[in-house]
Amino acid sequence: MTTGLQLRSLIKKSGELELSLAKVEVPEPGPDQVVVKVEASPINPSDLGLLLGPADMASAQASGSGDSVKVTAKVPANALPFLAARLDQSMAVGNEGAGTVVRAGASDEAQALLGKTVSMVGGSMYAQYVVRKARDCQPLPAGTTAAEGASWFVNPLTALGMTETMKREGHKALVHTAAASNLGQMLNKICLEDGIGLVNIVRSPAQARILKDIGAKHVVDSSKPSFQDDLVQALVETGATIAFDAIGGGKLAGQILTAMEIAINKSAKEYSRYGSSVHKQVYVYGGLNTGPIEIVRNFGQAWGVGGWLLTPFLQKIGRPEQTRLRERVVNSLKTTFKSHYTKTISLPEVLDLKNIAAYNKRATGEKFLINPNKA
Amino acid sequence: MTTGLQLRSLIKKSGELELSLAKVEVPEPGPDQVVVKVEASPINPSDLGLLLGPADMASAQASGSGDSVKVTAKVPANALPFLAARLDQSMAVGNEGAGTVVRAGASDEAQALLGKTVSMVGGSMYAQYVVRKARDCQPLPAGTTAAEGASWFVNPLTALGMTETMKREGHKALVHTAAASNLGQMLNKICLEDGIGLVNIVRSPAQARILKDIGAKHVVDSSKPSFQDDLVQALVETGATIAFDAIGGGKLAGQILTAMEIAINKSAKEYSRYGSSVHKQVYVYGGLNTGPIEIVRNFGQAWGVGGWLLTPFLQKIGRPEQTRLRERVVNSLKTTFKSHYTKTISLPEVLDLKNIAAYNKRATGEKFLINPNKA
């Protein structure tokens, strides 16, 4: 029987996070299952919640080496009540990835995948081997590598989920923050392809340049003194009344609502004592700033701020629509949905304190890829 | 031709608020119209937005006396862009009220109202006389006075709107803040009548006592050190996952979401890395605290905070449902939907600086009634 390494995250009742590599047996596949050798899995911000939890990584300590490496860190006591359901349970990590099918069950569907490169989703991808149902594996087009197919799900479907949500909730254009990210670049390509107005908010001239270079029309830099005026102008030009915010903490969500209200009032014909009656929405889908959200209300009563997550969105749209979106992604992994990585690391390197400090910064444009079978 | 006083609010482009009493002609009613002598109209928080706008009332100055009284105050320059559509326009004020029909047009419908006490809605009620279409007047049951029928719309329909919204959005119980208010007392009576779980959040033991005395089951005092634990316990007992917040600014909206998440997790069977998948909602319908809303996110991604207003809610539910709610109110104005007033004042007294300071505090349990025809 084969064994393989699997990354584990454990938060103890005592308030300690422990990261380690477990040696786990790889079971024989059932008739409709396959064993996939994982060759590429990204570290997404959405993985960090499970991997590191709310631990204070400034307190992190490493011990051991190679496959025996272990990292521990303190979890603040006031965070423990929110973690009741995972305490003292060793959790496998990793939302999405790709690899090669190395063993297959007896069914035709499983056998057909043998030797193929496939993309997957659904957890425990930070492992050398995973077992999956054949029908949950997405074969990649010939010539597409595991590294190219690793980030096929979270970012691409989140970006498509934004434009779909915009349409379903009756808005005609959208705003995106931290817009120079991998996801933000995908969103620009989607909006250009689909003729959708997009206002990109970035935090530096360098990030603005990245987006201008891929053809973005509306790029607003929040580091400039003219930020609010620039944002209002872009909102007037696009008519955007919904925003997707990766940052969360701080004043930005409120500033976007304020700018939307000013843009709407510029064309208002009649005074409404409660502000405009146009609904203005900010969905917070990330937490690059985990501090408090601060909202100064000067935009009337037709507003909402709320969380947005991919999984409930996919449940809402249903299977046939999901399939349509997935197929769009898989057919454009080298173009619209191409991801860029800063560094490719092995499983022990995921537990390297310097690497943790780097990927835990969640810096725009910096992204790590894990190859669990890297020598 | 009769004339009558009408209260006016003017914000000038120069950044000055001016309150005054205009002497206006009362037109002859058309065939389907009536003239109503207004005898009672409340000052609701929802009227203050139009009456005082964002003016700094600490800078208010009064001049003149009697019907010629005038109040001026400064409006901060950064608020002016939001007021473009009302600048330099003298606005009549007052959302709801009641009075006696003193003249009627030729139609049967109008004639039938002559001499009757009616409730009304729709603006400019801070006036001695208003002209309304007969069908927009709600005759009150025999024995119900104008003072009893003045607050028939905003508070009662807002309270009913809360329980209706709760049901329509799939929640089974609700939370209310500033819960000892007139509106909060109505909401308690509605929930007792309809068997709906209600968590009342108040800010003092005296307010808690008011609610306990009218039979409230769950009253949580935010001034106590045990506030969060008490709130969680009440949420566990009721299963409330939606809140209506009159306060707005500060940390309360976020604290409610946090307590909801803890209450939900107490019964969770499986850890979800993004927090519970139960949607938790806070609707901010008032602005007792106009400062920033501060939200510390430690409650997963299934959450929303947003504005809630009566008018869009009524539009959403449609006419027949509106009529059903209005009839429930008018038939219980002396019981479920009874309002309490601190003081009854004349139109010139509305412009008295001491009175302005009192009603602009928006203190729970303090409410002013205007009698525009008070001698």
Side-chain angles (χ1 to χ4, degrees):
Chain A
M1 185 164 300
T2 320
T3 61
L5 294 176
Q6 188 182 64
L7 194 148
R8 293 293 183 83
S9 170
L10 169 66
I11 295 181
K12 299 177 183 171
K13 281 210 174 78
S14 59
E16 189 183 55
L17 167 73
E18 182 183 285
L19 305 177
S20 62
L21 300 177
K23 192 161 275 178
V24 296
E25 289 179 355
V26 183
E28 284 304 312
D32 57 349
Q33 291 181 322
V34 295
V35 176
V36 183
K37 185 179 177 188
V38 183
E39 289 150 334
S41 176
I43 302 181
N44 290 314
S46 52
D47 293 305
L48 293 175
L50 185 59
L51 182 66
L52 305 180
D56 171 18
M57 297 312 291
S59 74
Q61 303 216 308
S63 63
S65 66
D67 299 354
S68 311
V69 64
K70 198 168 273 191
V71 170
T72 57
K74 283 193 194 314
V75 176
N78 60 12
L80 293 174
F82 301 98
L83 303 169
R86 71 165 284 188
L87 291 180
D88 285 342
Q89 290 181 52
S90 179
M91 315 286 287
V93 188
N95 281 320
E96 63 181 340
T100 306
V101 177
V102 292
R103 280 210 297 285
S107 72
D108 290 351
E109 202 183 1
Q111 284 294 320
L113 290 176
L114 203 55
K116 291 262 169 70
T117 304
V118 297
S119 286
M120 298 160 289
V121 68
S124 70
M125 297 299 307
Y126 298 171
Q128 293 184 307
Y129 296 93
V130 295
V131 178
R132 285 290 190 276
K133 283 194 176 152
R135 67 174 155 84
D136 289 341
C137 294
Q138 173 78 43
L140 295 177
T144 300
T145 66
E148 288 167 336
S151 294
W152 74 295
F153 196 87
V154 178
N155 275 350
L157 288 176
T158 299
L160 288 170
M162 291 175 182
T163 58
E164 288 296 318
T165 300
M166 175 202 85
K167 288 180 221 161
R168 281 163 189 259
E169 299 189 1
H171 304 271
K172 68 173 216 183
L174 74 166
V175 177
H176 187 226
T177 74
S181 64
N182 269 305
L183 195 157
Q185 294 181 42
M186 286 179 194
L187 185 59
N188 271 281
K189 293 175 191 166
I190 293 167
C191 288
L192 286 169
E193 283 173 25
D194 296 357
I196 294 168
L198 171 64
V199 177
N200 294 279
I201 299 179
V202 296
R203 288 168 291 176
S204 72
Q207 291 173 345
R209 175 55 45 210
I210 291 171
L211 291 176
K212 288 283 186 190
D213 284 349
I214 61 165
K217 280 189 200 134
H218 303 280
V219 183
V220 181
D221 182 349
S222 63
S223 71
K224 287 170 107 178
S226 61
F227 172 55
Q228 168 150 325
D229 290 346
D230 297 345
L231 180 56
V232 168
Q233 186 56 34
L235 293 170
V236 167
E237 285 168 20
T238 56
T241 47
I242 185 169
F244 289 86
D245 175 33
I247 295 171
K251 299 187 176 184
L252 187 58
Q255 287 170 330
I256 293 170
L257 293 171
T258 299
M260 284 176 177
E261 180 73 2
I262 295 173
I264 293 163
N265 283 341
K266 281 196 176 218
S267 52
K269 302 211 168 26
E270 198 178 327
Y271 177 67
S272 164
R273 70 190 72 182
Y274 301 116
S276 77
S277 60
V278 179
H279 185 77
K280 300 163 290 289
Q281 180 69 38
V282 176
Y283 282 118
V284 178
Y285 74 95
L288 296 180
N289 176 344
T290 55
I293 300 179
E294 192 183 320
I295 300 170
V296 177
R297 281 166 306 150
N298 50 13
F299 38 67
Q301 290 280 356
W303 65 281
V305 173
W308 191 92
L309 260 193
L310 180 56
T311 307
F313 165 75
L314 291 175
Q315 282 164 356
K316 194 187 291 174
I317 66 173
R319 267 282 166 177
E321 187 64 9
Q322 281 179 39
T323 304
R324 187 181 71 80
L325 298 181
R326 283 180 188 218
E327 281 171 5
R328 179 169 177 184
V329 174
V330 170
N331 290 321
S332 304
L333 280 170
K334 289 172 187 261
T335 53
T336 311
F337 300 105
K338 185 176 169 67
S339 288
H340 305 270
Y341 302 99
T342 319
K343 202 172 171 183
T344 300
I345 58 179
S346 67
L347 283 176
E349 286 167 343
V350 178
L351 304 196
D352 176 272
L353 292 185
K354 258 188 236 150
N355 285 333
I356 292 176
Y359 61 69
N360 195 29
K361 266 194 308 188
R362 302 159 200 229
T364 302
E366 260 195 59
K367 188 159 188 155
F368 282 62
L369 186 68
I370 302 173
N371 177 351
N373 284 288
K374 187 183 166 194
Chain B
M1 185 162 300
T2 321
T3 60
L5 294 177
Q6 187 182 64
L7 193 148
R8 293 292 184 83
S9 170
L10 169 66
I11 295 181
K12 300 177 184 172
K13 281 210 176 77
S14 59
E16 189 182 58
L17 167 73
E18 182 183 285
L19 305 176
S20 63
L21 300 177
K23 191 160 275 178
V24 296
E25 289 179 355
V26 182
E28 284 304 310
D32 58 349
Q33 291 182 321
V34 295
V35 176
V36 183
K37 185 179 176 186
V38 183
E39 289 150 335
S41 176
I43 302 180
N44 290 313
S46 52
D47 293 306
L48 293 175
L50 185 60
L51 182 65
L52 306 180
D56 170 17
M57 297 311 291
S59 74
Q61 303 215 307
S63 63
S65 65
D67 299 355
S68 311
V69 65
K70 198 168 275 192
V71 170
T72 57
K74 283 193 195 312
V75 177
N78 60 12
L80 293 175
F82 301 97
L83 303 169
R86 72 164 284 188
L87 290 180
D88 286 342
Q89 290 181 53
S90 178
M91 314 286 287
V93 188
N95 281 320
E96 63 181 339
T100 306
V101 176
V102 292
R103 281 209 297 285
S107 72
D108 290 351
E109 203 185 0
Q111 285 293 319
L113 291 175
L114 204 55
K116 291 262 169 69
T117 304
V118 296
S119 285
M120 298 159 289
V121 70
S124 69
M125 298 298 306
Y126 297 171
Q128 292 184 308
Y129 297 93
V130 294
V131 178
R132 285 289 191 276
K133 283 193 176 152
R135 67 175 153 85
D136 289 341
C137 294
Q138 173 78 43
L140 294 177
T144 300
T145 66
E148 289 167 335
S151 294
W152 74 296
F153 195 86
V154 178
N155 275 350
L157 289 175
T158 299
L160 288 170
M162 291 174 183
T163 58
E164 288 296 319
T165 299
M166 176 203 83
K167 288 181 222 161
R168 281 163 189 259
E169 299 189 2
H171 305 270
K172 68 172 218 182
L174 74 166
V175 177
H176 187 226
T177 74
S181 64
N182 269 305
L183 194 158
Q185 295 180 43
M186 285 178 194
L187 184 59
N188 271 281
K189 293 175 190 165
I190 293 166
C191 288
L192 286 170
E193 283 173 27
D194 296 356
I196 294 169
L198 171 64
V199 177
N200 294 279
I201 299 179
V202 296
R203 290 167 291 177
S204 72
Q207 291 173 346
R209 174 56 43 211
I210 291 171
L211 292 176
K212 289 285 186 187
D213 284 350
I214 61 166
K217 280 188 201 135
H218 303 279
V219 183
V220 180
D221 182 349
S222 63
S223 71
K224 286 169 107 177
S226 60
F227 172 55
Q228 168 151 325
D229 290 346
D230 297 346
L231 180 55
V232 168
Q233 185 55 34
L235 293 170
V236 167
E237 285 169 21
T238 57
T241 47
I242 185 170
F244 290 86
D245 175 34
I247 294 171
K251 300 187 176 185
L252 186 58
Q255 287 170 330
I256 293 169
L257 293 171
T258 299
M260 285 176 177
E261 180 73 1
I262 295 174
I264 293 163
N265 283 340
K266 282 197 176 219
S267 52
K269 303 211 167 25
E270 199 178 327
Y271 177 66
S272 164
R273 71 191 72 183
Y274 302 115
S276 78
S277 60
V278 179
H279 184 78
K280 300 163 289 290
Q281 180 70 39
V282 175
Y283 283 118
V284 178
Y285 74 95
L288 296 180
N289 176 344
T290 54
I293 300 178
E294 192 183 321
I295 300 170
V296 177
R297 282 167 304 149
N298 50 13
F299 39 66
Q301 289 280 357
W303 65 281
V305 174
W308 191 93
L309 260 191
L310 180 56
T311 307
F313 165 75
L314 291 174
Q315 282 164 356
K316 194 187 293 176
I317 66 172
R319 267 283 164 177
E321 187 63 10
Q322 280 179 40
T323 304
R324 187 181 70 80
L325 298 181
R326 284 182 187 217
E327 281 171 5
R328 179 169 177 184
V329 174
V330 169
N331 290 322
S332 304
L333 280 170
K334 290 172 186 260
T335 53
T336 311
F337 300 104
K338 184 176 170 69
S339 288
H340 305 270
Y341 302 99
T342 319
K343 202 171 171 183
T344 300
I345 58 177
S346 67
L347 282 176
E349 287 167 343
V350 178
L351 304 195
D352 177 271
L353 293 185
K354 258 187 237 150
N355 286 332
I356 291 176
Y359 61 69
N360 195 30
K361 266 192 309 185
R362 303 158 200 229
T364 301
E366 259 195 60
K367 187 160 188 155
F368 281 63
L369 186 68
I370 302 173
N371 177 353
N373 284 288
K374 187 184 168 194

